[in-house]
Amino acid sequence: APGGKVFEPLWRTEFHMRKKIVILTYSLGGAGAERMVANLVNQLDRDKYDIHLVLMNTEIEYDILPDQKIHYIEKSYRYENEFWKLIKLPFLAWKFKRYCNQQQIDLVLAVMNRPNLIAGMAKSLGINAKVLISERFYTPYYYNSNTLAGKIKLWLLKTFYPKADSILPNSQGTVEALQDYKIQSEYAVVKNPTDIQRIGDLSKLPLPRPMDFAPFTFINVATFREEKNHDLLVDAVEGIRDLPFRLLLIGKGNLLEPIKQKVRSLQLQDKIIFLDFTENPYQYMSRAQCFILSSLGEGFPNVLIESMVCGLPIISVDCKTGPRELLAPGTKLDTDIAADHFEVAEYGILTRYNSKTSLQAAMRWALQHPGNLHAYQEKGRMKSGDYEITKVCAEFSVIFDSFLKK
């Protein structure tokens, strides 16, 4: 060029421009889906993407990069009234659409059910971005068609989920559940990104206070809310209280005090120990002997993968969805377990859904067969490598790029 200047071709400048991506979720409070979002936000290639994090609640309990852009379309109370949550959805969708169009966002990834509905509505309202929604739970558990709120939510689901350009569940069971609702879309199952190196490092840190792990220790890490089904754990312990073990419960939530009261009323304080929510439950998990998951419904429980990283054998209720796909891959999703039995699967133990007797039988077996239980430690560590954060974030990136090119 005249004067010796070098002009960059327009096509090359456009090629090197970072694509603007929004990740929309409720909050970064202490739960599995929120941890997945934090992992994804921190890991995606920032030379490739300009990442905007959009939240609906100010709770942030996972570390994110200090320069991360955060925008709030509302600052709500986590336990607000269900009908108020529904009434606000169109307004929040309009606010979200306006933000994305003003910021010239190229692609949206919504995570969890209300953000998914907001993203679907925003697509109907004229958002310019491609919209992907990530379903992180067993959908029918949250849509009770016998209640008015359930009927409204089910109508919203069937109306606005198909508006998305693609649906990215984290389990095949969730894909099948959505298809049972006749929701037509492009589906892709994407695993949960797990920061294996970080979990391993955190698991080796000394405990904040001394604790004796010589007694056989079961452990559960979960938010105290209905679907995590802590009642089942307490009922199971009550029936085998004479056996030599204890159970650690780590978490927070609106049902924490009722569960503590139930433990006191059954005089199980010497068997069940409560620990406050911590960003590092792994230092306890790595020292315990067995993890127990008791949920009524999941999407794909991160905590089971994290248990494997910690070398922690697993007993899990065979709930919808995730536990069977992880612990017994290749088996049928509708496999039935008898009430008094349990399944010694390839990567852990599965018990009948919401069955106290089945869970008690599995706990007895774990206490009586420590050698068999230990065999799961190395197998679990190897299996957890499938969910390593860089591998899974690369899968997300491939999907993002395929839609950005369309």
Side-chain angles (χ1 to χ4, degrees):
K5 294 182 180 179
V6 177
F7 292 100
E8 190 76 3
L10 290 176
W11 65 266
R12 188 184 300 276
T13 303
E14 183 178 354
F15 179 78
H16 285 288
M17 286 179 61
R18 293 188 301 165
K19 294 295 186 180
K20 291 186 175 183
I21 291 179
V22 158
I23 298 181
L24 168 68
T25 193
Y26 181 73
S27 77
L28 290 186
E34 288 89 338
R35 188 183 299 118
M36 168 265 175
V37 170
N39 284 341
L40 185 61
V41 166
N42 290 337
Q43 189 65 34
L44 286 171
D45 185 351
R46 287 167 186 267
D47 291 331
K48 191 175 184 180
Y49 307 119
D50 178 9
I51 303 165
H52 298 231
L53 178 61
V54 177
L55 302 177
M56 302 162 61
N57 176 280
T58 59
E59 193 174 5
I60 298 179
E61 294 181 349
Y62 295 113
D63 292 334
I64 55 175
L65 296 175
D67 62 344
Q68 175 60 57
K69 298 175 182 138
I70 302 177
H71 176 76
Y72 296 93
I73 55 172
E74 68 165 341
K75 295 182 179 180
S76 68
Y77 171 59
R78 178 175 285 274
Y79 302 112
E80 64 188 354
N81 179 272
E82 282 296 316
F83 275 100
W84 179 235
K85 289 180 181 179
L86 292 174
I87 291 168
K88 290 193 300 181
L89 284 176
F91 175 65
L92 293 174
W94 176 80
K95 286 184 68 177
F96 181 64
K97 181 214 74 169
R98 185 178 64 172
Y99 174 81
C100 289
N101 287 352
Q102 287 176 345
Q103 296 293 321
Q104 297 181 310
I105 299 299
D106 298 296
L107 182 140
V108 169
L109 173 68
V111 181
M112 299 173 68
N113 61 321
R114 276 206 300 150
N116 288 347
L117 290 172
I118 289 168
M121 285 184 180
K123 190 73 172 179
S124 298
L125 292 171
I127 195 171
N128 295 328
K130 296 290 185 182
V131 171
L132 314 179
I133 61 177
S134 179
E135 191 79 333
R136 316 296 298 179
F137 54 85
Y138 180 57
T139 311
Y141 179 78
Y142 286 93
Y143 294 88
N144 181 1
S145 59
N146 295 322
T147 67
L148 177 58
K151 289 176 181 177
I152 294 172
K153 287 192 287 186
L154 187 56
W155 178 82
L156 291 170
L157 173 85
K158 292 180 177 181
T159 302
F160 293 108
Y161 269 39
K163 304 295 184 184
D165 294 283
S166 184
I167 301 178
L168 311 178
N170 56 356
S171 71
Q172 183 58 37
T174 300
V175 172
E176 294 179 8
L178 289 170
Q179 289 174 335
D180 286 343
Y181 284 131
K182 311 300 183 187
I183 295 174
Q184 302 298 319
S185 183
E186 181 177 328
Y187 287 94
V189 175
V190 186
K191 304 180 185 75
N192 289 352
T194 304
D195 194 340
I196 291 176
Q197 181 63 51
R198 179 175 177 273
I199 292 170
D201 292 342
L202 289 173
S203 72
K204 296 170 186 174
L205 294 177
L207 296 175
R209 59 187 176 88
M211 180 173 288
D212 181 14
F213 281 85
F216 190 104
T217 303
F218 295 102
I219 188 169
N220 172 275
V221 181
T223 305
F224 283 83
R225 56 179 189 251
E226 182 183 359
E227 68 269 21
K228 299 302 180 181
N229 201 15
H230 287 88
D231 279 305
L232 177 64
L233 288 172
V234 176
D235 292 340
V237 168
E238 197 276 333
I240 54 174
R241 64 193 307 162
D242 294 334
L243 298 178
F245 72 92
R246 64 180 177 179
L247 170 65
L248 296 185
L249 299 180
I250 300 179
K252 62 177 183 177
N254 62 326
L255 294 183
L256 174 58
E257 286 306 317
I259 293 296
K260 283 185 174 180
Q261 178 56 41
K262 181 172 182 174
V263 168
R264 289 192 292 267
S265 68
L266 294 173
Q267 298 182 351
L268 291 173
Q269 297 95 317
D270 61 329
K271 305 298 290 187
I272 299 178
I273 299 170
F274 293 88
L275 296 177
D276 292 337
F277 168 81
T278 171
E279 277 197 38
N280 184 13
Y282 315 116
Q283 55 194 334
Y284 297 97
M285 293 165 68
S286 64
R287 291 166 169 84
Q289 282 74 47
C290 186
F291 187 89
I292 301 182
L293 185 129
S294 55
S295 299
L296 293 170
E298 289 282 350
F300 198 108
N302 281 327
V303 71
L304 295 189
I305 304 167
E306 294 163 352
S307 296
M308 289 179 165
V309 176
C310 293
L312 183 60
I314 295 165
I315 294 174
S316 175
V317 168
D318 189 14
C319 66
K320 306 289 185 183
T321 58
R324 177 164 291 279
E325 292 179 47
L326 179 64
L327 302 183
T331 62
K332 293 182 178 180
L333 296 181
D334 59 354
T335 299
D336 188 42
I337 301 172
D340 295 328
H341 294 77
F342 55 91
E343 181 180 341
V344 180
E346 185 175 359
Y347 294 103
I349 309 302
L350 288 165
T351 68
R352 184 179 176 85
Y353 175 74
N354 198 27
S355 170
K356 178 180 73 173
T357 55
S358 179
L359 182 55
Q360 287 173 338
M363 293 172 72
R364 288 194 193 95
W365 182 89
L367 290 166
Q368 295 165 0
H369 299 86
N372 298 68
L373 205 63
H374 292 161
Y376 283 120
Q377 292 179 323
E378 190 55 34
K379 292 188 73 174
R381 285 195 180 99
M382 294 292 292
K383 180 66 174 175
S384 68
D386 294 345
Y387 300 84
E388 199 275 326
I389 188 169
T390 57
K391 292 181 181 178
V392 178
C393 287
E395 292 179 26
F396 271 107
S397 186
V398 168
I399 293 170
F400 291 169
D401 292 347
S402 70
F403 282 93
L404 289 167
K405 291 173 184 176
K406 290 182 179 179

